[in-house]
Amino acid sequence: MTAAVLALWRREVLVFVRDRARFVGVLAQPVLFWVLFGFGFQGAVSVPGSDASYLEYLLPGMIVLAVLFTAIYSTISVVEDRQSGVLQAALVAPQPRLAIVLGVVLGGTTLALLQAVLIGLLAPFVGLRPGVGGTLVAVGAAGLVGATFTALGFGMAWRLKTTRAFHAVMNVVLIPIWLLSGAFFPLSGAPDALRWVMLANPVTHGVTLLRYGLEGLPAGVPGTTLGLLPSALVTVGGAVLAVVWAAATARRPVY
């Protein structure tokens, strides 16, 4: 099973990296948004309880945006493999279906982490200089969010028959989840009703965990009242539940 997981992981990484347009597009979009929104709203948005610039506040959210899109859209290969017959060939191989799930999730998480690290290199330019501990927390947060959404993307791709349907469903899901995660505007400044929605959003906790890492432990996170431990527990729990759901979905017949 280990050999099958590693083979699928390698295939997912190679397919994505060789598609240069997709690779560059997923990387360029968050950076472009960061520059446009960061400079455009810098004088209009303030972070409660902090003198951090909006560019500094927005960077962790842009990293999460790259992670979400990379993780989700890496699983388009599941739909494409069904259409080409590759998925059916993998299913008749003498390997458990869990190997397919783990291979795809591992591949998508690896790609998401790669994009997160590349965008994270911009952190020193806005005054964010996390130490070793903070860097490990930030990388762990990005990896957990990547695993969560790769697994969710896998589950949706397993059920959907066309890439058009996959794009439509994912676009409806991804943007609201990201906007309501505290990535774009502070949690502490949101209206009460909206704040409860944001607290129920698992991505909010992933963004908060990433902020803790980038701001440098044990510093507080501007714009939020969430603690490090609760955010870590929710983020880990979300990743585990998503992988379990993907594994259960993979037991369904493929049409």
Side-chain angles (χ1 to χ4, degrees), residues 59-138:
L59 184 60
M62 293 302 107
I63 293 174
V64 169
L65 180 63
V67 168
L68 292 182
F69 274 91
T70 303
I72 285 291
Y73 286 110
S74 68
T75 57
I76 289 179
S77 61
V78 176
V79 180
E80 295 170 343
D81 288 347
R82 178 195 287 113
Q83 295 173 340
S84 65
V86 173
L87 181 59
Q88 287 81 351
L91 291 175
V92 299
Q95 295 291 339
R97 293 193 177 189
L98 181 61
I100 299 176
V101 177
L102 294 179
V104 172
V105 170
L106 184 60
T109 303
T110 301
L111 294 168
L113 271 176
L114 174 61
Q115 299 279 26
V117 169
L118 290 175
I119 297 178
L121 294 176
L122 298 170
F125 294 99
V126 290
L128 294 173
R129 293 179 175 83
V132 175
T135 300
L136 291 176
V137 169

Side-chain angles (χ1 to χ4, degrees), residues 118-212:
L118 290 175
I119 297 178
L121 294 176
L122 298 170
F125 294 99
V126 290
L128 294 173
R129 293 179 175 83
V132 175
T135 300
L136 291 176
V137 169
V139 171
L144 288 169
V145 173
T148 300
F149 282 87
T150 305
L152 291 176
F154 178 94
M156 294 304 300
W158 194 272
R159 296 165 179 263
L160 299 173
K161 296 182 179 180
T162 66
T163 54
R164 291 191 297 273
F166 184 87
H167 277 288
V169 171
M170 290 299 104
N171 282 334
V172 169
V173 172
L174 278 184
I175 297 301
I177 282 180
W178 177 71
L179 288 174
L180 295 175
S181 68
F184 195 67
F185 55 88
L187 175 69
S188 58
D192 290 341
L194 192 59
R195 191 169 185 273
W196 283 109
V197 174
M198 294 172 72
L199 287 172
N201 180 4
V203 183
T204 301
H205 301 273
V207 171
T208 301
L209 191 60
L210 186 65
R211 289 195 193 283
Y212 269 104

